[in-house]
Amino acid sequence: MKAAALFSIPNDIRVTDIDRPQIGDSDFLIKVRACALCATDVKVALRGRHFLIDLHGLPFVLGHEIAGEVAEVGRDVKGVSEGDRVAVSPYVPCGNCYACRIGNYRFCEKAPFSWITPGGFTEYIKVPGENAASRVAKMPLDLSFEEAALTEPVACCFNGIAKSRIRMGEDVTILGAGPIGLMLLQLAKVAGAGRVIMIDMDKKRIRYAKEFGADEVIDAGTEDPGECIRELTQGRGSDVVIEAIGSTKTYQQALQLVRGGGTVTFFGGCPGGSTIEIGTDLLHYMELTLVGAQSFGPDVFHKSLKLISTGRIDAKRLITHRYYSLDKVKEAIDISINKEGLKKVVII
Ligand SMILES: [Zn+2]
Ligand SMILES: [Zn+2]
């Protein structure tokens, strides 16, 4: 079968022939129908940092935002049948280890061993069947594969919003109006935000923020975000601030925009080893809650597909680029480096 694989760093992606995965009694096979490109894929293509590359080396098939059809089911797998149209979680927590028992899925000891093989930019993937029913979400008939492929990033954002503990009517400020920022925007509204304020300095992204219904948009290229937020909140600061860029500069800035007693959620991933300085006054006297958010649990994955299929999250509008060949993965990454468009989906 064909696969778009990363052969060397940076971004040397070529279509190659690989063996179709063989499934055992406790696995199942998915025929990939759509795989969306994630900012993480772009980072991995440029820097080569991924635990699966450390484990197996290159070439490596990227892609983990997947929807497809169940093509073959091992004898012992329960909860999925051939022909099911599903969104696929790339990994799934075991449900049994200490971390899982307390709902701390990010730290499941076994989740790394439950990854799909290979990545999604190919024709078929093998899914280990442990917890099969919890790792795929069945799609309603009227939902397209390309929309369902966004279940994984929406689930990550869902977790970020849930951890931000927005109370109805509160101000939520989001730094970064890329695809993730725009998903967070829509989810913040679902969660009851009274007003969503978006900050970016890219003109195209500022336009997207308005199109997707931000109540206020701040152009950090020409305006001082701190001043604008103080003005909008009578000097208090925003109830919740979510960083969705992944730079130390905006990590630091997020801390300046929140009100006393408010919550800052660090959603964007900075390059490994990055550090920021935080005044202790801010932590102690300002009683801030600082939250990190990165992964999601199985319940969130299923609810995220529901939010997409009911239109609470407009997945269709987030997809700006559709490619109908695996040859185009490299091109999709190239234009993402230039921050062009929003979600890119390869439809197979
Ligand atoms: Zn992703
Ligand atoms: Zn576990």
Side-chain angles (χ1 to χ4, degrees):
M1 64 177 190
K2 299 232 172 302
L6 176 68
F7 278 82
S8 65
I9 309 304
N11 202 19
D12 173 18
I13 292 180
R14 285 175 256 152
V15 174
T16 181
D17 278 311
I18 59 170
D19 291 334
R20 183 168 142 169
Q22 299 291 313
I23 61 159
D25 288 344
S26 59
D27 309 320
F28 57 103
L29 197 70
I30 299 271
K31 182 171 172 45
V32 179
R33 299 296 303 275
C35 181
L37 185 73
C38 175
T40 305
D41 294 320
V42 178
K43 281 187 218 169
V44 174
L46 295 181
R47 299 187 200 134
R49 286 192 40 190
H50 193 285
F51 77 94
L52 288 173
I53 295 180
D54 296 342
L55 223 59
H56 306 298
L58 297 172
F60 176 68
V61 180
L62 296 161
H64 58 265
E65 302 179 354
I66 301 162
E69 271 168 89
V70 178
E72 212 181 311
V73 182
R75 244 191 319 199
D76 301 340
V77 177
K78 292 189 176 60
V80 288
S81 326
E82 225 177 287
D84 283 352
R85 300 165 77 249
V86 291
V88 188
S89 173
Y91 59 89
V92 71
C94 73
N96 293 320
C97 71
Y98 176 75
C100 283
R101 288 202 307 273
I102 62 167
N104 196 12
Y105 301 117
R106 162 72 180 84
F107 296 95
C108 169
E109 295 157 20
K110 298 206 178 113
F113 306 103
S114 71
W115 269 79
I116 51 165
T117 39
F121 292 122
T122 185
E123 295 175 74
Y124 291 90
I125 53 168
K126 180 173 98 174
V127 184
E130 278 142 71
N131 306 336
S134 79
R135 79 176 290 154
V136 291
K138 287 185 193 168
M139 298 163 48
L141 280 175
D142 56 353
L143 193 70
S144 64
F145 287 112
E146 57 175 53
E147 290 167 280
L150 299 201
T151 306
E152 195 268 353
V154 169
C156 292
C157 294
F158 187 132
N159 176 56
I161 291 294
K163 291 184 94 177
S164 305
R165 294 177 189 260
I166 297 163
R167 277 168 289 200
M168 218 185 290
E170 284 190 330
D171 284 331
V172 177
T173 298
I174 300 169
L175 289 136
I180 289 291
L182 298 172
M183 289 180 203
L184 290 165
L185 156 67
Q186 296 176 72
L187 288 163
K189 289 185 162 190
V190 172
R195 186 165 55 165
V196 182
I197 304 161
M198 303 284 294
I199 306 177
D200 208 299
M201 55 198 307
D202 182 289
K203 299 285 179 229
K204 278 174 289 186
R205 294 197 159 179
I206 285 171
R207 208 166 53 236
Y208 282 128
K210 288 177 185 157
E211 276 170 31
F212 277 82
D215 298 285
E216 302 285 345
V217 182
I218 298 169
D219 179 349
T222 58
E223 300 171 286
D224 175 2
E227 224 167 79
C228 294
I229 294 289
R230 276 191 297 280
E231 211 169 284
L232 287 166
T233 60
Q234 287 82 47
R236 283 189 308 268
S238 182
D239 299 299
V240 173
V241 178
I242 305 177
E243 200 282 353
I245 293 174
S247 92
T248 52
K249 190 168 165 248
T250 39
Y251 264 54
Q252 207 90 55
Q253 190 172 43
L255 295 164
Q256 307 303 321
L257 303 178
V258 69
R259 69 160 161 80
T263 299
V264 180
T265 302
F266 298 103
F267 192 93
C270 296
S274 302
T275 55
I276 57 164
E277 222 169 74
I278 306 177
T280 54
D281 284 359
L282 215 52
L283 295 175
H284 178 74
Y285 295 108
M286 291 285 281
E287 295 200 333
L288 297 188
T289 302
L290 307 186
V291 180
Q294 201 232 295
S295 60
F296 57 87
D299 57 326
V300 165
F301 191 73
H302 285 74
K303 289 174 189 166
S304 297
L305 181 68
K306 196 193 292 175
L307 291 173
I308 291 172
S309 59
T310 55
R312 300 284 193 281
I313 302 300
D314 190 344
K316 245 208 168 92
R317 199 136 65 106
L318 283 163
I319 302 169
T320 52
H321 292 70
R322 295 168 176 82
Y323 300 100
Y324 296 91
S325 160
L326 290 166
D327 294 319
K328 300 285 186 183
V329 172
K330 186 176 157 47
E331 183 183 323
I333 291 176
D334 282 336
I335 67 163
S336 298
I337 295 168
N338 300 324
K339 286 194 175 177
E340 185 103 5
L342 297 171
K343 290 302 281 188
K344 290 97 192 169
V345 183
V346 177
I347 295 155
I348 299 156

Tab-separated table of all heavy atoms in Angstrom, residues 271-314:
chain	number	residue	atom	x	y	z
A	271	PRO	N	8.762	24.798	22.263
A	271	PRO	CA	9.874	23.872	22.003
A	271	PRO	C	10.411	23.299	23.321
A	271	PRO	O	10.451	24.007	24.332
A	271	PRO	CB	10.918	24.775	21.331
A	271	PRO	CG	10.139	25.902	20.746
A	271	PRO	CD	8.973	26.119	21.660
A	272	GLY	N	10.808	22.027	23.301
A	272	GLY	CA	11.287	21.347	24.505
A	272	GLY	C	12.367	22.149	25.209
A	272	GLY	O	13.222	22.754	24.556
A	273	GLY	N	12.340	22.186	26.519
A	273	GLY	CA	13.369	22.873	27.294
A	273	GLY	C	13.118	24.360	27.498
A	273	GLY	O	13.894	25.031	28.172
A	274	SER	N	12.025	24.898	26.932
A	274	SER	CA	11.725	26.327	27.104
A	274	SER	C	11.423	26.621	28.574
A	274	SER	O	10.882	25.775	29.277
A	274	SER	CB	10.497	26.732	26.282
A	274	SER	OG	10.687	26.459	24.923
A	275	THR	N	11.756	27.819	28.999
A	275	THR	CA	11.407	28.218	30.372
A	275	THR	C	10.829	29.626	30.365
A	275	THR	O	11.116	30.420	29.475
A	275	THR	CB	12.649	28.233	31.296
A	275	THR	OG1	13.630	29.080	30.703
A	275	THR	CG2	13.240	26.844	31.477
A	276	ILE	N	9.991	29.907	31.392
A	276	ILE	CA	9.525	31.288	31.584
A	276	ILE	C	9.722	31.642	33.049
A	276	ILE	O	9.869	30.763	33.902
A	276	ILE	CB	8.033	31.475	31.203
A	276	ILE	CG1	7.122	30.530	32.010
A	276	ILE	CG2	7.807	31.295	29.725
A	276	ILE	CD1	5.651	30.937	31.960
A	277	GLU	N	9.720	32.928	33.314
A	277	GLU	CA	9.872	33.398	34.685
A	277	GLU	C	8.518	33.898	35.175
A	277	GLU	O	7.827	34.607	34.461
A	277	GLU	CB	10.874	34.553	34.684
A	277	GLU	CG	11.852	34.489	35.837
A	277	GLU	CD	12.967	35.477	35.632
A	277	GLU	OE1	12.723	36.679	35.810
A	277	GLU	OE2	14.079	35.031	35.263
A	278	ILE	N	8.147	33.522	36.386
A	278	ILE	CA	6.876	33.981	36.934
A	278	ILE	C	7.142	34.627	38.289
A	278	ILE	O	7.755	34.003	39.168
A	278	ILE	CB	5.886	32.815	37.144
A	278	ILE	CG1	5.698	32.026	35.847
A	278	ILE	CG2	4.550	33.322	37.654
A	278	ILE	CD1	4.797	30.815	36.000
A	279	GLY	N	6.670	35.865	38.438
A	279	GLY	CA	6.801	36.521	39.741
A	279	GLY	C	5.983	35.778	40.790
A	279	GLY	O	4.854	35.372	40.523
A	280	THR	N	6.552	35.594	41.964
A	280	THR	CA	5.810	34.867	43.009
A	280	THR	C	4.590	35.661	43.473
A	280	THR	O	3.603	35.078	43.917
A	280	THR	CB	6.718	34.569	44.209
A	280	THR	OG1	7.297	35.800	44.648
A	280	THR	CG2	7.820	33.585	43.827
A	281	ASP	N	4.646	36.981	43.341
A	281	ASP	CA	3.471	37.796	43.695
A	281	ASP	C	2.248	37.360	42.908
A	281	ASP	O	1.131	37.315	43.415
A	281	ASP	CB	3.726	39.278	43.354
A	281	ASP	CG	4.640	39.921	44.375
A	281	ASP	OD1	5.045	39.219	45.322
A	281	ASP	OD2	4.953	41.114	44.205
A	282	LEU	N	2.537	37.055	41.644
A	282	LEU	CA	1.456	36.690	40.740
A	282	LEU	C	0.793	35.388	41.222
A	282	LEU	O	-0.420	35.257	41.209
A	282	LEU	CB	2.052	36.490	39.340
A	282	LEU	CG	1.234	36.878	38.138
A	282	LEU	CD1	0.717	38.293	38.239
A	282	LEU	CD2	2.084	36.752	36.876
A	283	LEU	N	1.608	34.463	41.654
A	283	LEU	CA	1.069	33.172	42.074
A	283	LEU	C	0.370	33.290	43.429
A	283	LEU	O	-0.747	32.824	43.604
A	283	LEU	CB	2.195	32.135	42.180
A	283	LEU	CG	2.876	31.785	40.859
A	283	LEU	CD1	4.047	30.852	41.108
A	283	LEU	CD2	1.885	31.127	39.911
A	284	HIS	N	1.044	33.949	44.369
A	284	HIS	CA	0.537	33.981	45.738
A	284	HIS	C	-0.543	35.043	45.931
A	284	HIS	O	-1.697	34.732	46.182
A	284	HIS	CB	1.696	34.202	46.705
A	284	HIS	CG	1.249	34.299	48.129
A	284	HIS	ND1	0.845	33.182	48.838
A	284	HIS	CD2	1.119	35.364	48.957
A	284	HIS	CE1	0.496	33.572	50.052
A	284	HIS	NE2	0.642	34.869	50.146
A	285	TYR	N	-0.182	36.301	45.729
A	285	TYR	CA	-1.132	37.374	46.030
A	285	TYR	C	-2.266	37.452	45.016
A	285	TYR	O	-3.377	37.838	45.347
A	285	TYR	CB	-0.406	38.719	46.130
A	285	TYR	CG	0.551	38.757	47.296
A	285	TYR	CD1	1.921	38.728	47.093
A	285	TYR	CD2	0.079	38.777	48.612
A	285	TYR	CE1	2.804	38.736	48.155
A	285	TYR	CE2	0.958	38.779	49.689
A	285	TYR	CZ	2.318	38.753	49.453
A	285	TYR	OH	3.188	38.741	50.505
A	286	MET	N	-1.957	37.078	43.766
A	286	MET	CA	-3.002	37.147	42.726
A	286	MET	C	-3.845	35.864	42.681
A	286	MET	O	-4.819	35.784	41.931
A	286	MET	CB	-2.368	37.388	41.355
A	286	MET	CG	-1.753	38.773	41.183
A	286	MET	SD	-3.019	40.026	40.963
A	286	MET	CE	-3.444	39.779	39.247
A	287	GLU	N	-3.467	34.890	43.446
A	287	GLU	CA	-4.235	33.632	43.548
A	287	GLU	C	-4.616	33.065	42.176
A	287	GLU	O	-5.761	32.695	41.930
A	287	GLU	CB	-5.494	33.841	44.398
A	287	GLU	CG	-5.174	34.180	45.843
A	287	GLU	CD	-6.337	33.929	46.779
A	287	GLU	OE1	-7.497	33.993	46.319
A	287	GLU	OE2	-6.086	33.650	47.972
A	288	LEU	N	-3.638	33.015	41.275
A	288	LEU	CA	-3.931	32.502	39.935
A	288	LEU	C	-3.993	30.973	39.930
A	288	LEU	O	-3.331	30.314	40.727
A	288	LEU	CB	-2.849	32.948	38.942
A	288	LEU	CG	-2.700	34.440	38.692
A	288	LEU	CD1	-1.718	34.673	37.550
A	288	LEU	CD2	-4.045	35.074	38.361
A	289	THR	N	-4.775	30.465	39.016
A	289	THR	CA	-4.754	29.027	38.747
A	289	THR	C	-4.102	28.832	37.385
A	289	THR	O	-4.571	29.382	36.386
A	289	THR	CB	-6.189	28.459	38.718
A	289	THR	OG1	-6.804	28.734	39.983
A	289	THR	CG2	-6.182	26.955	38.473
A	290	LEU	N	-3.008	28.088	37.350
A	290	LEU	CA	-2.296	27.828	36.092
A	290	LEU	C	-2.522	26.369	35.706
A	290	LEU	O	-2.315	25.469	36.513
A	290	LEU	CB	-0.796	28.096	36.248
A	290	LEU	CG	-0.399	29.463	36.812
A	290	LEU	CD1	1.115	29.639	36.760
A	290	LEU	CD2	-1.071	30.596	36.055
A	291	VAL	N	-2.960	26.180	34.476
A	291	VAL	CA	-3.369	24.847	34.052
A	291	VAL	C	-2.630	24.475	32.766
A	291	VAL	O	-2.512	25.294	31.859
A	291	VAL	CB	-4.894	24.825	33.764
A	291	VAL	CG1	-5.331	23.451	33.312
A	291	VAL	CG2	-5.687	25.250	34.984
A	292	GLY	N	-2.153	23.263	32.681
A	292	GLY	CA	-1.618	22.750	31.426
A	292	GLY	C	-2.638	21.804	30.809
A	292	GLY	O	-3.361	21.116	31.526
A	293	ALA	N	-2.727	21.796	29.476
A	293	ALA	CA	-3.690	20.889	28.834
A	293	ALA	C	-3.080	20.349	27.553
A	293	ALA	O	-2.535	21.112	26.749
A	293	ALA	CB	-4.994	21.614	28.528
A	294	GLN	N	-3.161	19.062	27.347
A	294	GLN	CA	-2.486	18.476	26.196
A	294	GLN	C	-3.225	17.306	25.559
A	294	GLN	O	-3.204	17.132	24.352
A	294	GLN	CB	-1.094	18.014	26.667
A	294	GLN	CG	-0.102	17.846	25.536
A	294	GLN	CD	0.557	16.506	25.579
A	294	GLN	OE1	1.293	16.216	26.521
A	294	GLN	NE2	0.316	15.677	24.602
A	295	SER	N	-3.869	16.482	26.370
A	295	SER	CA	-4.410	15.235	25.826
A	295	SER	C	-5.930	15.180	26.043
A	295	SER	O	-6.568	16.201	26.202
A	295	SER	CB	-3.750	14.056	26.522
A	295	SER	OG	-4.038	14.149	27.906
A	296	PHE	N	-6.499	14.006	26.061
A	296	PHE	CA	-7.936	13.871	26.324
A	296	PHE	C	-8.236	12.424	26.709
A	296	PHE	O	-7.443	11.527	26.424
A	296	PHE	CB	-8.770	14.273	25.100
A	296	PHE	CG	-8.423	13.476	23.872
A	296	PHE	CD1	-9.029	12.256	23.622
A	296	PHE	CD2	-7.472	13.935	22.976
A	296	PHE	CE1	-8.693	11.508	22.498
A	296	PHE	CE2	-7.131	13.194	21.860
A	296	PHE	CZ	-7.745	11.978	21.624
A	297	GLY	N	-9.378	12.225	27.331
A	297	GLY	CA	-9.824	10.875	27.698
A	297	GLY	C	-10.866	10.369	26.719
A	297	GLY	O	-11.372	11.126	25.892
A	298	PRO	N	-11.202	9.079	26.794
A	298	PRO	CA	-12.119	8.470	25.833
A	298	PRO	C	-13.509	9.115	25.814
A	298	PRO	O	-14.107	9.268	24.757
A	298	PRO	CB	-12.242	7.016	26.312
A	298	PRO	CG	-11.118	6.801	27.258
A	298	PRO	CD	-10.694	8.118	27.781
A	299	ASP	N	-14.011	9.541	26.968
A	299	ASP	CA	-15.342	10.157	26.994
A	299	ASP	C	-15.345	11.440	26.168
A	299	ASP	O	-16.282	11.728	25.423
A	299	ASP	CB	-15.770	10.452	28.439
A	299	ASP	CG	-14.763	11.358	29.150
A	299	ASP	OD1	-13.554	11.237	28.874
A	299	ASP	OD2	-15.193	12.190	29.966
A	300	VAL	N	-14.265	12.203	26.278
A	300	VAL	CA	-14.158	13.471	25.566
A	300	VAL	C	-14.114	13.246	24.055
A	300	VAL	O	-14.665	14.019	23.273
A	300	VAL	CB	-12.907	14.243	26.071
A	300	VAL	CG1	-12.528	15.367	25.137
A	300	VAL	CG2	-13.163	14.773	27.472
A	301	PHE	N	-13.484	12.162	23.630
A	301	PHE	CA	-13.403	11.862	22.195
A	301	PHE	C	-14.816	11.665	21.619
A	301	PHE	O	-15.164	12.232	20.580
A	301	PHE	CB	-12.557	10.600	21.985
A	301	PHE	CG	-12.193	10.358	20.538
A	301	PHE	CD1	-11.247	11.150	19.907
A	301	PHE	CD2	-12.796	9.340	19.818
A	301	PHE	CE1	-10.909	10.936	18.573
A	301	PHE	CE2	-12.470	9.119	18.482
A	301	PHE	CZ	-11.523	9.924	17.870
A	302	HIS	N	-15.632	10.898	22.321
A	302	HIS	CA	-16.992	10.644	21.841
A	302	HIS	C	-17.846	11.912	21.845
A	302	HIS	O	-18.594	12.181	20.910
A	302	HIS	CB	-17.650	9.546	22.677
A	302	HIS	CG	-17.126	8.190	22.325
A	302	HIS	ND1	-15.869	7.756	22.705
A	302	HIS	CD2	-17.661	7.196	21.584
A	302	HIS	CE1	-15.662	6.546	22.218
A	302	HIS	NE2	-16.734	6.178	21.540
A	303	LYS	N	-17.708	12.700	22.911
A	303	LYS	CA	-18.497	13.939	22.979
A	303	LYS	C	-18.049	14.922	21.896
A	303	LYS	O	-18.868	15.684	21.372
A	303	LYS	CB	-18.335	14.583	24.354
A	303	LYS	CG	-19.037	13.803	25.460
A	303	LYS	CD	-18.701	14.424	26.801
A	303	LYS	CE	-19.193	13.560	27.953
A	303	LYS	NZ	-18.581	13.999	29.231
A	304	SER	N	-16.779	14.902	21.554
A	304	SER	CA	-16.275	15.827	20.533
A	304	SER	C	-16.876	15.513	19.171
A	304	SER	O	-17.244	16.415	18.417
A	304	SER	CB	-14.747	15.761	20.463
A	304	SER	OG	-14.208	16.185	21.692
A	305	LEU	N	-16.982	14.228	18.855
A	305	LEU	CA	-17.619	13.861	17.582
A	305	LEU	C	-19.069	14.341	17.571
A	305	LEU	O	-19.572	14.826	16.551
A	305	LEU	CB	-17.560	12.342	17.348
A	305	LEU	CG	-18.191	11.899	16.027
A	305	LEU	CD1	-17.382	12.391	14.835
A	305	LEU	CD2	-18.357	10.386	15.954
A	306	LYS	N	-19.727	14.253	18.737
A	306	LYS	CA	-21.112	14.718	18.813
A	306	LYS	C	-21.190	16.224	18.541
A	306	LYS	O	-22.073	16.702	17.822
A	306	LYS	CB	-21.690	14.400	20.198
A	306	LYS	CG	-23.202	14.500	20.225
A	306	LYS	CD	-23.752	14.509	21.628
A	306	LYS	CE	-23.568	13.173	22.331
A	306	LYS	NZ	-24.005	13.260	23.743
A	307	LEU	N	-20.270	16.989	19.106
A	307	LEU	CA	-20.280	18.445	18.904
A	307	LEU	C	-20.035	18.801	17.442
A	307	LEU	O	-20.566	19.791	16.934
A	307	LEU	CB	-19.231	19.113	19.797
A	307	LEU	CG	-19.521	19.092	21.298
A	307	LEU	CD1	-18.343	19.636	22.089
A	307	LEU	CD2	-20.778	19.893	21.633
A	308	ILE	N	-19.250	17.976	16.753
A	308	ILE	CA	-19.023	18.210	15.319
A	308	ILE	C	-20.279	17.853	14.528
A	308	ILE	O	-20.737	18.598	13.675
A	308	ILE	CB	-17.816	17.383	14.815
A	308	ILE	CG1	-16.518	17.919	15.418
A	308	ILE	CG2	-17.742	17.399	13.288
A	308	ILE	CD1	-15.291	17.058	15.132
A	309	SER	N	-20.878	16.701	14.866
A	309	SER	CA	-22.001	16.237	14.035
A	309	SER	C	-23.255	17.077	14.264
A	309	SER	O	-24.110	17.149	13.391
A	309	SER	CB	-22.271	14.748	14.248
A	309	SER	OG	-22.559	14.509	15.584
A	310	THR	N	-23.365	17.737	15.407
A	310	THR	CA	-24.527	18.603	15.624
A	310	THR	C	-24.257	20.036	15.172
A	310	THR	O	-25.118	20.905	15.312
A	310	THR	CB	-24.928	18.636	17.114
A	310	THR	OG1	-23.787	19.029	17.879
A	310	THR	CG2	-25.431	17.295	17.600
A	311	GLY	N	-23.031	20.290	14.688
A	311	GLY	CA	-22.721	21.623	14.177
A	311	GLY	C	-22.317	22.625	15.258
A	311	GLY	O	-22.101	23.800	14.961
A	312	ARG	N	-22.249	22.190	16.519
A	312	ARG	CA	-21.766	23.120	17.564
A	312	ARG	C	-20.340	23.564	17.215
A	312	ARG	O	-19.952	24.692	17.464
A	312	ARG	CB	-21.749	22.442	18.941
A	312	ARG	CG	-23.089	21.941	19.422
A	312	ARG	CD	-23.958	23.089	19.907
A	312	ARG	NE	-25.104	22.567	20.636
A	312	ARG	CZ	-26.193	22.065	20.079
A	312	ARG	NH1	-26.300	22.021	18.763
A	312	ARG	NH2	-27.175	21.585	20.817
A	313	ILE	N	-19.577	22.626	16.658
A	313	ILE	CA	-18.261	22.953	16.127
A	313	ILE	C	-18.365	22.850	14.616
A	313	ILE	O	-18.742	21.802	14.091
A	313	ILE	CB	-17.194	21.944	16.628
A	313	ILE	CG1	-17.136	21.930	18.146
A	313	ILE	CG2	-15.824	22.259	16.017
A	313	ILE	CD1	-16.790	23.251	18.767
A	314	ASP	N	-18.066	23.953	13.940
A	314	ASP	CA	-18.186	23.982	12.490
A	314	ASP	C	-16.891	23.445	11.871
A	314	ASP	O	-15.974	24.203	11.559
A	314	ASP	CB	-18.463	25.420	12.040
A	314	ASP	CG	-18.851	25.487	10.577
A	314	ASP	OD1	-18.619	24.486	9.848
A	314	ASP	OD2	-19.363	26.536	10.145
